[in-house]
Amino acid sequence: MFPWNKHFPFNNQSGQLPETFKNMNPKNVEDYIQSVMGNVFGEGFSQQFPYQGSLTAKDKQPQGNPANAELFETNDNVFIKIPATEEQAGNLRIQHNSNQLFIINYPAMGEQKNFILPSLVKRKGTKASYRKGILEIKLTKNEDLQLSEIDIINLNE
């Protein structure tokens, strides 16, 4: 009925994709998407999208996750899981402010890893536990409900 339907790859009755899709190179698709994104968002767009990257395995670089740490949040807490040996766990010092976590003496003595937290956390109530090679740090979220109202001064009067 519609001529464009016969070229739609998922509507093919024989179960075979057209030759165009069989010979498609993922690198060409990635290059095309990168050029379109660059045209739309400008040349520095990659800083705005932290999870974009190359599709080929050889081009993949580890993201800014220090020491293979896993950081995630729930409705009430922020969790950080870090692989560590018992010796490392015994020498660690953990400090935090409302938006950053500092792990001192990790991965080696005298070194420090910093994590920017996805939301504000409370000053008290942080717990750390070590079990089976994983250091888990649990921080309680702080709901910042303090609002400030700002008056607008009309300079035209």
Side-chain angles (χ1 to χ4, degrees):
M1 183 158 131
F2 296 107
W4 53 268
N5 266 351
K6 68 180 178 180
H7 296 295
F8 190 66
F10 304 112
N11 199 19
N12 194 342
Q13 307 318 2
S14 66
Q16 299 292 326
L17 290 176
E19 289 299 318
T20 309
F21 296 107
K22 286 182 182 178
N23 299 327
M24 191 175 286
N25 183 357
K27 181 69 173 144
N28 293 343
V29 174
E30 176 69 17
D31 292 342
Y32 173 74
I33 290 173
Q34 293 295 327
S35 76
V36 169
M37 295 285 285
N39 290 338
V40 172
F41 295 108
E43 289 303 316
F45 79 93
S46 61
Q47 286 78 25
Q48 299 170 7
F49 301 99
Y51 298 110
Q52 66 91 24
S54 176
L55 291 176
T56 58
K58 66 180 179 181
D59 292 339
K60 287 190 177 180
Q61 298 292 326
Q63 294 293 324
N65 211 4
N68 297 325
E70 182 179 345
L71 188 140
F72 60 95
E73 64 180 313
T74 62
N75 289 339
D76 300 323
N77 301 302
V78 175
F79 292 92
I80 299 174
K81 292 184 177 183
I82 303 167
T85 63
E86 284 189 46
E87 182 182 338
Q88 285 176 320
N91 294 325
L92 294 180
R93 288 185 25 225
I94 302 170
Q95 301 174 346
H96 75 89
N97 59 24
S98 62
N99 66 345
Q100 287 186 2
L101 176 76
F102 309 99
I103 302 179
I104 301 165
N105 295 332
Y106 186 80
M109 292 297 288
E111 294 184 25
Q112 177 176 321
K113 293 293 181 186
N114 301 336
F115 297 88
I116 296 175
L117 302 173
S119 63
L120 296 176
V121 295
K122 291 184 178 178
R123 203 171 152 221
K124 304 243 177 189
T126 299
K127 296 178 183 176
S129 61
Y130 178 78
R131 192 172 103 195
K132 297 182 181 178
I134 301 291
L135 174 68
E136 180 180 282
I137 304 166
K138 176 184 173 184
L139 301 112
T140 306
K141 281 187 175 180
N142 186 13
E143 294 185 27
D144 187 20
L145 300 177
Q146 300 175 8
L147 296 174
S148 298
E149 188 170 332
I150 301 169
D151 293 330
I152 300 172
I153 300 171
N154 189 351
L155 300 175
N156 293 330
E157 294 179 359

